[in-house]
Amino acid sequence: EIQSKGGIDGYRTPFNTLDEATQGWHDGEFILVVARQGVGKTWLTNIMAHKNYRDGLKVLYFTKEMPSNQVARRFDALEYNLPYQDLRSGKLNSFREAEWRDKVQEGLPVGQMVIVGEETGGVSQVAAKIERHRPDIIFIDGMYLMDDDQRARDNWLKISNISRDMKRLAKRVMIPIIATVQFNRSADNAKGDASNIAYGDIAKDADIILGLFQDEDQRLDKRMTLRVLKQREGSRPEIELDWDMDNMKFAE
C-alpha cells in the first residue's frame, strides 16, 4: 500500500521534501508549528490547510488569534491566487477582479473548509466540533490562547494541560491535529529549536515539530526556512521556501 502511494501514506503538504521526511500527516498525530510572533506560522497553517482542502479533505480550522472573516479572506487569496494585501485593502485591479469572478463561476473544489472563530473553549470544545463536523484533519491557530478545561491557575500549567489533552484527543479520534505555538525570547527569527518553545514542556507531547524562520535577508528576498525540529521517525530536513505574498507563491 505504501509503495502504491509513492512512500507517502499520510495527508500531503505543499512541500515534497517535508512529505518525504514525514510520509505525510497521519491519523492520531499531534503536530506543532512554532515561530516567533509575526514570522508567518498562521500563514503556514493556512497554506497547508488549503492544500488539504484542494485534495478533497474536510478541514476543520480553529482560529484563536484572528477573526474568522480574516482567515476566510486568506483562503480566498490562496484559492484564487489574489495578492493578499491588494485584496485586504480593496485595491485589486479590474483585470484581477474580473479573473476572480470568472473563477468563482467555475465552482469550488470537492473539499470542505469549516472555520471556527469568535468562540471560547478548550479541548472539549474542539472535541464537540469534531463530533459535529467529522473532519479529516484539524488545524488550530493559537493553541496557547485556548481555555484549560482543567482550570489551572498558572499559565505554564494551563498550556501544558491543553497540550497533553490535545495529544490524547488526537489519539482518541484518530485525526491529525496541527497547532501553532510561539518561541520564547531565547529564540529569534533566524534560529531556535524545540527547547525554545514557550512553556517548553509541551514539546514532549508532539509527534512532529516544525519551526519557521526568516532573517532580514530572506524577508527582502521573499524566502522562508522551514525546519523539522522533532519527529519520532525519519529525517529532519531544512527546507528553503519561496514566500511571495504578492503572487501567493509558497513552494520549495
Side-chain angles (χ1 to χ4, degrees), residues 9-237:
D9 58 347
Y11 298 133
R12 290 179 176 266
T13 74
F15 314 117
N16 290 335
T17 301
L18 180 60
D19 289 342
E20 289 168 4
T22 63
Q23 294 186 269
W25 305 145
H26 300 88
D27 289 340
E29 285 185 335
F30 178 45
I31 298 123
L32 291 178
V33 174
V34 58
R36 287 303 304 270
Q37 187 173 7
V39 170
K41 59 186 180 298
T42 298
W43 268 110
L44 181 61
T45 60
N46 297 153
I47 294 159
M48 292 192 296
H50 179 253
K51 163 66 174 172
N52 296 143
Y53 164 71
R54 293 286 300 180
D55 286 346
L57 302 184
K58 187 169 188 178
V59 179
L60 183 56
Y61 192 101
F62 291 83
T63 170
K64 297 295 182 179
E65 288 194 332
M66 299 172 60
S68 56
N69 66 317
Q70 291 183 16
V71 174
R73 182 168 59 204
R74 289 186 174 200
F75 286 124
D76 269 352
L78 288 165
E79 176 64 24
Y80 299 108
N81 195 31
L82 304 170
Y84 181 70
Q85 293 302 329
D86 288 349
L87 175 64
R88 180 171 175 262
S89 58
K91 294 180 180 178
L92 284 179
N93 61 45
S94 57
F95 173 78
R96 284 276 197 174
E97 189 171 342
E99 188 179 52
W100 182 17
R101 291 179 186 275
D102 290 342
K103 287 182 179 178
V104 168
Q105 297 302 317
E106 295 173 4
L108 293 169
V110 295
Q112 297 181 56
M113 177 74 68
V114 179
I115 301 172
V116 179
E118 293 82 45
E119 295 183 27
T120 59
V123 177
S124 59
Q125 181 220 20
V126 176
K129 295 294 184 183
I130 291 171
E131 186 173 349
R132 176 181 175 184
H133 295 290
R134 304 292 181 182
D136 298 304
I137 192 167
I138 299 160
F139 292 83
I140 301 171
D141 183 38
M143 185 184 77
Y144 49 89
L145 297 175
M146 294 175 62
D147 295 335
D148 175 19
D149 294 332
Q150 301 180 49
R151 301 181 183 277
R153 292 185 178 182
D154 295 329
N155 209 31
W156 68 269
L157 184 55
K158 166 188 165 184
I159 303 299
S160 181
N161 288 341
I162 293 169
S163 176
R164 194 173 302 113
D165 289 347
M166 198 69 75
K167 170 66 174 176
R168 290 169 179 162
L169 178 64
K171 289 292 187 186
R172 178 165 61 85
V173 299
M174 290 305 291
I175 297 172
I177 297 178
I178 299 97
T180 67
V181 292
Q182 292 187 359
F183 277 132
N184 58 31
R185 293 180 181 178
S186 60
D188 60 33
N189 289 357
K191 63 180 185 296
D193 57 38
S195 66
N196 301 131
I197 296 176
Y199 317 105
D201 273 353
I202 69 175
K204 68 181 183 298
D205 298 324
D207 298 290
I208 297 170
I209 300 176
L210 304 179
L212 195 63
F213 304 91
Q214 186 182 57
D215 61 28
E216 185 60 22
D217 288 339
Q218 286 178 307
R219 187 183 69 80
L220 294 173
D221 290 339
K222 299 180 180 179
R223 295 290 184 94
M224 190 79 75
T225 298
L226 180 64
R227 298 186 189 126
V228 178
L229 302 180
K230 173 189 174 181
Q231 77 160 324
R232 303 190 191 281
E233 297 184 308
S235 62
R236 299 181 183 180

